[in-house]
Amino acid sequence: MKVTFLGTGTSQGIPIIGSTHPVCLSENPKDKRLRVSVLVEWDSHNILIDCGPDFRMQMLANKVSHIDAILYTHEHNDHTIGLDDIRPYFFRQGDIPIYAHKRVLDSLKKRFDYIFEFENKYPGSPGVQVNEIQNEPFKFKNFEIIPVNAMHNRLQVFGFRLKDFVYLTDVKTIEKKEIEKLRGVKVLVINALRREPHHSHFNLEEALEFIQEVNPENAYLTHISHQLGFHEEVQAELPENIFLAYDNLKIEL
């Protein structure tokens, strides 16, 4: 299994438009972050987690030739608004399977009603295969995917466990029974927005405490804002098995 971090930034990305914050002015490529998303490659299948506003550029940057499925964590704009840009894949492959909570699917149907239209469908619009998921394991091509339920302030979000890889983003709280799903994981990805507390995201301290509780072999921090600091300086503070993810980073399990 190979995982590519397509984007590791928060909802505004880094640099923020018009910002003069030192991190936004950094020339280090690792301080430039597109909106958060990952690609999981398994047995020639490409599974995308979230499809945000930078989706097109992320696909071009990583030369992704096909997308076999999209998993959605939740309905916020920075995780969903790239859906229309699946058109090139649809034109070559046909309808793209998507997996999401019913609430997320309802949101997508409102925002992209033309994609979900079956009668008099505009010929240039993409198509999807809709799969509603709940908080229980499901299979994609005989590959088991385990949803992990968490809360983004008062909004339910899904993380996902794929074999020994777990991806969680936009998490503020998570119940003990859900943490049990993460036991024995080799790689954990978790959000760490900034140093100061935030009402709907883990800050760095909370993320590190969560990693300690789960005890993975390695952990990667994502959904990072400019307020966390310069990549190299933050990385130097972290334990040896915890890494600040960056755009286009590739890891293998």
Side-chain angles (χ1 to χ4, degrees):
M1 179 188 293
K2 182 166 75 172
V3 176
T4 301
F5 290 86
L6 301 171
T8 56
T10 187
S11 57
Q12 296 183 84
I14 305 175
I16 294 173
I17 295 171
S19 175
T20 58
H21 189 282
V23 174
C24 291
L25 299 178
S26 171
E27 295 299 323
N28 184 347
K30 293 181 181 179
D31 285 322
K32 300 180 187 300
R33 302 181 185 278
L34 299 177
R35 268 62 71 93
V36 67
S37 177
V38 293
L39 182 73
V40 179
E41 299 177 58
W42 156 76
D43 282 358
S44 78
H45 299 302
N46 285 339
I47 302 173
L48 180 72
I49 304 181
D50 287 336
C51 184
D54 301 314
F55 170 74
R56 177 177 177 273
M57 296 308 298
Q58 291 165 339
M59 296 298 97
L60 290 171
N62 290 279
K63 298 180 173 58
V64 180
S65 63
H66 62 284
I67 292 292
D68 297 295
I70 304 173
L71 313 181
Y72 283 104
T73 59
H74 63 296
E75 64 268 39
H76 282 169
N77 194 73
D78 53 323
H79 298 259
T80 61
I81 201 62
L83 181 59
D84 183 79
D85 281 334
I86 68 170
R87 283 181 292 161
Y89 298 113
F90 165 74
F91 294 150
R92 293 193 296 268
Q93 302 172 212
D95 291 351
I96 307 298
I98 64 172
Y99 294 79
H101 188 283
K102 180 182 185 300
R103 186 196 69 247
V104 178
L105 293 172
D106 289 344
S107 175
L108 292 173
K109 289 173 183 177
K110 289 180 181 178
R111 304 186 75 177
F112 299 97
D113 56 339
Y114 59 95
I115 292 178
F116 296 85
E117 181 63 60
F118 293 103
E119 296 183 7
N120 301 317
K121 186 179 179 69
Y122 179 69
S125 61
V128 295
Q129 297 175 9
V130 176
N131 298 274
E132 179 184 328
I133 60 174
Q134 299 177 354
N135 190 20
E136 55 188 38
F138 62 94
K139 287 192 175 181
F140 171 75
K141 296 186 181 296
N142 295 319
F143 185 88
E144 185 177 62
I145 300 172
I146 302 173
V148 181
N149 202 54
M151 297 300 293
H152 180 31
N153 192 10
R154 291 178 293 179
L155 180 70
Q156 178 273 342
V157 298
F158 275 142
F160 298 100
R161 178 168 185 168
L162 298 87
K163 294 190 175 180
D164 290 325
F165 173 75
V166 169
Y167 184 79
L168 288 163
T169 187
D170 292 51
V171 171
K172 181 60 178 181
T173 57
I174 181 168
E175 294 182 358
K176 293 290 186 182
K177 65 180 181 180
E178 297 298 310
I179 296 175
E180 289 303 312
K181 296 179 180 179
L182 314 182
R183 299 303 180 196
V185 67
K186 291 183 178 179
V187 173
L188 169 68
V189 180
I190 186 66
N191 56 291
L193 186 72
R194 62 190 191 190
R195 296 177 187 272
E196 297 78 16
H198 189 271
H199 69 281
S200 62
H201 288 274
F202 277 164
N203 66 357
L204 179 59
E205 180 181 3
E206 292 166 329
L208 294 177
E209 289 175 353
F210 182 73
I211 292 166
Q212 185 176 22
E213 182 172 6
V214 175
N215 193 30
E217 291 184 10
N218 293 293
Y220 292 82
L221 305 179
T222 193
H223 208 290
I224 295 161
S225 81
H226 64 293
Q227 294 172 324
L228 186 60
F230 293 102
H231 183 280
E232 299 298 344
E233 293 180 3
V234 177
Q235 182 60 63
E237 301 174 17
L238 298 176
E240 62 180 8
N241 68 329
I242 301 178
F243 307 93
L244 210 58
Y246 55 87
D247 290 13
N248 305 316
L249 169 66
K250 294 176 171 57
I251 60 174
E252 294 195 13
L253 288 78

